[in-house]
Amino acid sequence: MSLERDPFVDILLQSGFLKEEQLEEATQVQKQTGASDLGRVLMDLNMVGEREVLAAKAKATGQMFVDLDRLQIESSAINVVPERLVKLHSVIPVKKDGTNLWVAMSNPNDLEAIDQIQLASGCRVRPAVAVPAAIEEAIRRYYAASTGGDSSESGEMPSAAGAVGNVAVNRNDLRAIMAQAQVARDADKISQKETDESDEDMADQAPIIKLANAIIQQAINDRASDIHVEPMERSVRIRYRIDGVLMEAMTVPKNLQAPLISRFKIMAEMNIAERRVPQDGRIEVRNAGQEYDMRVSTIPTPFGEKIVMRILDKGNAMVGLHKLGFTPENQARIEELISQPNGMFLCTGPTGSGKTTTQYSVLNKLNSIGVNIITVEDPVEYQLGGIAQVQVNKKAGLTFGTALRAFLRQDPDIIMVGEMRDLETAEIAIEASLTGHLVLSTLHTNDAPSATLRMIDMGVEPYLIAATVIGVLAQRLGRRLDQDHKEPYEVPAIDLRRFGFEITDPEESVTLYRGVPHENNRQTGYRGRVGLHELMTMNAEIAEMVVRRTPVHEIKMAAKANGMKELREDGLAKVLMGITDPEEVMRVVFTAGF
């Protein structure tokens, strides 16, 4: 019998999982036994594992393979497929992105299963190949709620308000935890006038405590910077901001909304009876030996209170300047600027652009036994050893201005002002700079040269700006390509002209990189973020232009002549290095009318 060589065999050979002599032996066994599947023969002879065979077959046919032993399955995917269909067809949903639903199957060509899942979920099914035994194990773990059992690893969560302690709920058990909370809620038969008291009681019950903690832990494990708890008309949507982009994590039943929100408010030490006005609070979390602070904010909406929790990793405060994505030239210039005994160094950019992280990294570099560093912040996001940090308290009359006045009597060497918000703060900061202090602060402007105009708009005299500002750093955060899963591609050089790319040959092409969707990057091709920077250093020419109130575009030209690379140019450098891609630079840097 003549057997044609299957393409998956070449993939096994190329990847090193199979040797030529093993293939010859397996082929002989196949001929002798009449087996139709060479892959099964290879597995029966213990030459190649089932995972490797299935992955090679998937690659050969252009299908996706998922390793369920390593993949973190999303609760939002689990929630849209009934358990009955999952067990009937031996499949497991793994990821939901909008109307697309990725489903791991032992037979990705099972059209009946695909049709039924699409009908039940309302999503477009994207089949993927997985090891059958791994699918069965995943069904057992993720659909454990059907047995009524509790598969959490650590039993009940701590119930103390304001702290989560060592959160230990596994994200695999979110569905089981939510089901327990649902049962507890359904069992609570109460009248309407007792609703408030019941919600508070429910917030202290173990299932709701577990659910709240599991939502937090999953966000931490997914490297999220924010958690959004959003009441909808018929459900509660949970979204995480990961690498700067919001992604849906799960949907909670509407009747769990009140106790869940009450639980978060109790943890943040808020007034749970007050639902009409915004509130702010804070939660301390310890997970896997790492400490986190969470800034919690609530606002009233037509469908209930929306909660946003910003996750602050205390370890991030210790990031060195060399880890923030600066080019060697920019890092050297920044280190030179912050070594000055006096002057003002400003960071600018929109909310969430990494200004605070940069300022803390500068403080860490400057912090030593020989200098006195004082900060005034609203709020204090990270606590740094050896630095006196003051938090604004407007109710007590402690503003940026009053704190800065007091600082000048505290013999400081370096002062950090969390944000320069008004003329009073700016004038005192300038006074500190003029009297021999290095001042660090932030502003909200789109680029570095615009910082001088912003200060003039606040009422600061131009000559004071020229005399004190030594440098302005504008920055953005763009998503970083998953460096373990990226591929090269060619583009015409002319396509990069908008980034400032200098074209010498109209026919020239450039090699760039794009991310490859993978379970390790949540099928986005990105993992982590990188800073894009624009550093303007003050010189005599620029200082004179500021005094003369020269238009910003002329100041920008002078700054570029002095060595400044624009945000788009810094982005281009990181695109050419394979760190990010043009689409991401466009997303975070370019604005209308640019």
Side-chain angles (χ1 to χ4, degrees):
M1 179 173 62
S2 175
L3 296 175
E4 184 179 350
R5 184 145 145 176
D6 197 305
F8 86 91
V9 172
D10 291 325
I11 295 175
L12 290 174
L13 290 169
Q14 293 168 7
S15 60
F17 290 117
L18 182 65
K19 297 179 180 179
E20 286 286 355
E21 54 268 27
Q22 291 177 314
L23 175 60
E24 292 177 6
E25 179 184 347
T27 302
Q28 289 299 321
V29 172
Q30 183 184 23
K31 290 179 180 179
Q32 294 169 3
T33 61
S36 60
D37 185 358
L38 179 58
R40 173 50 58 185
V41 174
L42 291 170
M43 289 186 285
D44 290 342
L45 294 174
N46 293 321
M47 292 179 176
V48 185
E50 184 177 22
R51 179 193 179 283
E52 287 71 27
V53 169
L54 291 178
K57 286 186 173 182
K59 186 174 182 179
T61 56
Q63 295 173 323
M64 179 185 296
F65 176 82
V66 292
D67 187 346
L68 295 177
D69 292 332
R70 300 179 181 179
L71 178 68
Q72 289 187 327
I73 294 178
E74 297 183 359
S75 299
S76 58
I78 293 290
N79 292 338
V80 298
V81 181
E83 180 182 356
R84 175 183 60 82
L85 289 181
V86 166
K87 292 185 175 180
L88 174 64
H89 297 293
S90 188
V91 301
I92 187 77
V94 296
K95 175 182 172 59
K96 183 176 180 293
D97 183 7
T99 59
N100 291 317
L101 179 69
W102 279 264
V103 179
M105 315 172 68
S106 55
N107 179 14
N109 300 315
D110 187 343
L111 298 182
E112 179 183 357
I114 292 173
D115 288 342
Q116 291 186 13
I117 295 170
Q118 286 185 159
L119 183 63
S121 66
C123 298
R124 180 181 178 183
V125 170
R126 304 281 192 175
V129 181
V131 175
I135 293 175
E136 295 300 326
E137 173 62 17
I139 293 173
R140 186 190 68 76
R141 293 171 64 191
Y142 285 84
Y143 286 87
S146 62
T147 65
D150 178 7
S151 57
S152 63
E153 298 175 359
S154 62
E156 296 186 2
M157 292 295 128
S159 60
V164 182
N166 284 301
V167 184
V169 175
N170 191 296
R171 64 170 289 160
N172 300 344
D173 302 320
L174 267 173
R175 183 177 175 85
I177 294 170
M178 188 161 58
Q180 292 175 21
Q182 180 77 50
V183 170
R185 181 63 170 167
D186 291 343
D188 189 17
K189 305 296 183 182
I190 55 174
S191 66
Q192 182 62 40
K193 67 179 181 180
E194 296 172 323
T195 299
D196 287 351
E197 291 84 352
S198 174
D199 288 339
E200 184 173 355
D201 291 341
M202 273 289 295
D204 285 329
Q205 292 183 11
I208 286 293
I209 293 172
K210 290 180 180 180
L211 177 59
N213 282 312
I215 289 172
I216 292 173
Q217 189 196 23
Q218 181 180 336
I220 292 173
N221 291 343
D222 287 349
R223 302 176 296 105
S225 61
D226 302 85
I227 303 171
H228 289 239
V229 182
E230 302 169 315
M232 314 292 281
E233 186 174 5
R234 294 184 177 86
S235 63
V236 181
R237 181 173 64 180
I238 309 295
R239 291 195 292 173
Y240 298 153
R241 187 176 295 279
I242 301 173
D243 296 336
V245 178
L246 279 172
M247 299 181 179
E248 184 172 321
M250 63 184 297
T251 301
V252 175
K254 187 68 173 179
N255 60 356
L256 293 182
Q257 173 181 315
L260 179 62
I261 289 177
S262 292
R263 177 59 194 166
F264 283 130
K265 290 173 71 175
I266 289 171
M267 294 165 69
E269 299 182 344
M270 296 178 178
N271 181 359
I272 68 167
E274 180 56 78
R275 300 183 178 92
R276 300 164 298 177
V277 297
Q279 296 188 63
D280 294 308
R282 193 168 188 162
I283 300 173
E284 294 180 356
V285 178
R286 186 175 179 84
N287 180 57
Q290 186 70 33
E291 293 185 354
Y292 301 84
D293 279 340
M294 302 182 65
R295 288 163 47 188
V296 186
S297 171
T298 70
I299 57 171
T301 75
F303 300 119
E305 289 178 284
K306 174 179 177 178
I307 295 182
V308 174
M309 294 173 276
R310 170 154 291 185
I311 303 171
L312 302 172
D313 181 355
K314 292 184 177 181
N316 281 346
M318 304 305 172
V319 174
L321 285 173
H322 64 286
K323 295 182 179 180
L324 297 182
F326 290 113
T327 61
E329 295 81 7
N330 277 344
Q331 182 169 335
R333 295 171 75 191
I334 288 174
E335 291 180 353
E336 180 181 356
L337 288 172
I338 63 177
S339 66
Q340 304 299 314
N342 59 278
M344 188 179 300
F345 178 65
L346 302 173
C347 285
T348 75
T351 301
S353 60
K355 300 187 299 294
T356 301
T357 300
T358 298
Q359 294 283 34
Y360 276 113
S361 298
V362 170
L363 289 179
N364 270 324
K365 183 170 184 62
L366 297 174
N367 191 14
S368 69
I369 196 68
V371 296
N372 179 20
I373 302 176
I374 310 178
T375 76
V376 54
E377 306 168 59
D378 185 18
V380 173
E381 294 192 4
Y382 303 103
Q383 295 178 350
L384 304 176
I387 295 178
Q389 296 172 267
V390 176
Q391 180 160 318
V392 167
N393 187 341
K394 294 179 181 178
K395 292 182 179 179
L398 181 58
T399 64
F400 280 105
T402 56
L404 280 173
R405 287 193 184 91
F407 285 3
L408 297 180
R409 299 189 293 272
Q410 289 284 316
D411 187 30
D413 296 295
I414 300 167
I415 296 174
M416 197 267 273
V417 183
E419 183 180 343
M420 204 171 293
R421 299 182 178 180
D422 50 43
L423 178 60
E424 179 190 19
T425 304
E427 287 181 335
I428 302 173
I430 286 173
E431 179 185 346
S433 175
L434 290 172
T435 53
H437 306 90
L438 178 64
V439 178
L440 311 175
S441 191
T442 67
L443 279 173
H444 287 279
T445 63
N446 288 330
D447 57 20
S450 297
T452 58
L453 179 62
R454 175 75 181 99
M455 294 180 71
I456 292 173
D457 288 343
M458 290 168 59
V460 179
E461 291 293 336
Y463 74 90
L464 292 175
I465 300 171
T468 56
V469 174
I470 57 176
V472 182
L473 175 71
Q475 64 182 67
R476 301 289 190 277
L477 289 176
R479 288 183 292 177
R480 182 190 295 268
L481 295 179
D482 186 340
Q483 298 300 299
D484 294 327
H485 302 94
K486 66 179 183 180
E487 61 184 11
Y489 69 104
E490 298 290 319
V491 299
I494 196 169
D495 290 353
L496 301 178
R497 188 167 52 186
R498 70 178 64 189
F499 298 97
F501 187 78
E502 296 182 1
I503 300 174
T504 56
D505 180 2
E507 302 300 322
E508 180 184 2
S509 65
V510 180
T511 301
L512 304 181
Y513 289 84
R514 59 190 166 207
V516 176
H518 190 273
E519 53 261 35
N520 288 346
N521 56 49
R522 300 175 62 88
Q523 306 298 332
T524 65
Y526 301 99
R527 184 173 178 83
R529 289 194 284 179
V530 63
L532 307 180
H533 305 102
E534 177 179 284
L535 178 61
M536 180 183 80
T537 55
M538 191 70 73
N539 62 9
E541 180 185 5
I542 296 174
E544 183 182 353
M545 296 174 78
V546 171
V547 172
R548 289 191 284 108
R549 299 177 185 258
T550 302
V552 171
H553 73 274
E554 294 185 24
I555 295 178
K556 178 180 289 189
M557 292 174 59
K560 293 188 67 174
N562 192 38
M564 182 185 83
K565 299 293 185 183
E566 294 182 66
L567 284 165
R568 59 175 181 167
E569 294 174 310
D570 192 62
L572 173 64
K574 283 152 189 173
V575 166
L576 296 175
M577 294 167 63
I579 297 173
T580 187
D581 57 30
E583 292 74 21
E584 191 62 12
V585 176
M586 287 279 291
R587 184 181 73 86
V588 300
V589 170
F590 284 74
T591 57
F594 190 90

